[in-house]
Amino acid sequence: MGLRRSKKTNAFGELEEKIVHSLQNKNVPLLIVDEKWLEIFPEHMQSDTIRGMVSALNALLKKQGKQTEEIKGLKRYKSQMMQEIIENMGADETPVGRLKQRKLDKNQKKILELNEQLQETEDSLSDMPYQIRQANAQLMVESTRACYDRFRVNKNRMKELEEEITELRAKLKMKVLEEQERQMQDEKMYAYLHSMLGVQLMEQLDQALEQEGGNE
């Protein structure tokens, strides 16, 4: 449990690389949708750092989804351009033929632009899983750090509680002994008075004592 955030606190930094390396060999679930992680880190228990990392990870996922849809749209548009090229094939020197040629040139130019956009978007999209894994791993590192911060706080508090419980047990033991002592005294006094005063008078005294207690 020797993880720490800085030289002023503990030596977590040296172990951070080992944690990242360890995660590379494991199938780490996407933390922000992992039920176990969410149980430990509900939103109200997330630090500002973790909240920022969650936001960044969500942004990457949204970007990935947006790029996927963008690629689908570009491919549909490219398919449409290809169809128009086929329709405008066979251009000649007639007015209609020249119009077809202009459309053909325009569509071919547009397809080149689309191919460029597709390549850039696909390249960016192909890098997204890596970026998401890296962001997820960093969130796991910060989560580990936060857990050890909690371990430290809980350990200190549990020590305080243990001391308080020990003190309360000692007080409880003394009170139990006091109760037993007073009960024994009452039994001795009652037995003595019973033998000296008799049953009838003792019953009258008991009733008077009860009434007096009720009036209080």
Side-chain angles (χ1 to χ4, degrees):
M1 293 204 176
L3 301 185
R4 60 180 187 245
R5 183 166 287 184
S6 67
K7 291 182 179 178
K8 292 182 179 179
T9 53
N10 48 35
F12 189 94
E14 291 183 3
L15 293 174
E16 187 170 332
E17 289 185 12
K18 291 184 178 180
I19 294 171
V20 174
H21 179 72
S22 173
L23 294 176
Q24 289 174 352
N25 300 320
K26 294 178 182 176
N27 185 23
V28 181
L30 190 62
L31 299 183
I32 58 176
V33 294
D34 180 55
E35 289 184 6
K36 291 181 180 178
W37 186 87
L38 290 169
E39 189 177 348
I40 298 172
F41 292 99
E43 190 172 353
H44 70 280
M45 290 185 68
Q46 293 175 9
S47 66
D48 290 342
T49 302
I50 287 180
R51 200 172 287 115
M53 288 182 165
V54 168
S55 179
L57 195 48
N58 271 318
L60 285 173
L61 291 171
K62 287 179 181 178
K63 185 177 179 181
Q64 185 184 45
K66 184 180 178 181
Q67 287 180 337
T68 300
E69 289 304 311
E70 187 178 343
I71 287 171
K72 288 179 181 178
L74 288 170
K75 285 183 176 179
R76 282 196 297 269
Y77 192 21
K78 180 181 176 180
S79 178
Q80 182 183 335
M81 292 295 101
M82 292 294 293
Q83 183 61 37
E84 288 185 12
I85 286 174
I86 293 171
E87 291 172 358
N88 289 301
M89 294 283 286
D92 51 34
E93 293 303 317
T94 64
V96 174
R98 286 194 293 271
L99 180 61
K100 284 185 176 183
Q101 186 61 50
R102 284 197 296 272
K103 286 184 178 180
L104 191 64
D105 293 342
K106 183 180 177 181
N107 288 348
Q108 286 175 337
K109 183 180 178 182
K110 190 62 183 177
I111 283 179
L112 291 175
E113 292 174 0
L114 287 173
N115 285 338
E116 225 175 277
Q117 283 181 269
L118 271 170
Q119 189 61 52
E120 288 177 4
T121 308
E122 286 174 345
D123 287 346
S124 177
L125 183 61
S126 67
D127 192 49
M128 290 304 297
Y130 172 78
Q131 291 186 44
I132 290 170
R133 282 197 305 272
Q134 288 296 100
N136 198 51
Q138 286 303 315
L139 178 56
M140 188 66 234
V141 170
E142 187 60 30
S143 300
T144 303
R145 191 198 310 275
C147 284
Y148 272 82
D149 284 344
R150 291 184 194 177
F151 286 153
R152 184 168 53 254
V153 171
N154 288 343
K155 183 179 180 180
N156 292 337
R157 180 55 182 155
M158 284 190 288
K159 186 178 179 181
E160 291 175 358
L161 289 171
E162 188 177 343
E163 291 172 355
E164 289 176 16
I165 290 169
T166 300
E167 185 178 344
L168 287 170
R169 281 176 177 162
K171 287 182 179 180
L172 179 62
K173 184 177 180 180
M174 293 301 295
K175 290 184 181 296
V176 170
L177 290 173
E178 181 184 353
E179 181 190 31
Q180 291 174 345
E181 179 63 26
R182 289 181 182 276
Q183 189 175 3
M184 288 173 62
Q185 289 176 5
D186 282 357
E187 288 174 356
K188 287 179 181 179
M189 290 188 295
Y190 198 86
Y192 173 73
L193 292 175
H194 191 277
S195 65
M196 297 298 293
L197 303 178
V199 176
Q200 188 174 357
L201 184 54
M202 283 296 294
E203 287 178 352
Q204 293 175 359
L205 287 168
D206 287 343
Q207 290 176 0
L209 185 63
E210 287 178 8
Q211 289 176 358
E212 183 179 342
N215 292 332
E216 291 178 358

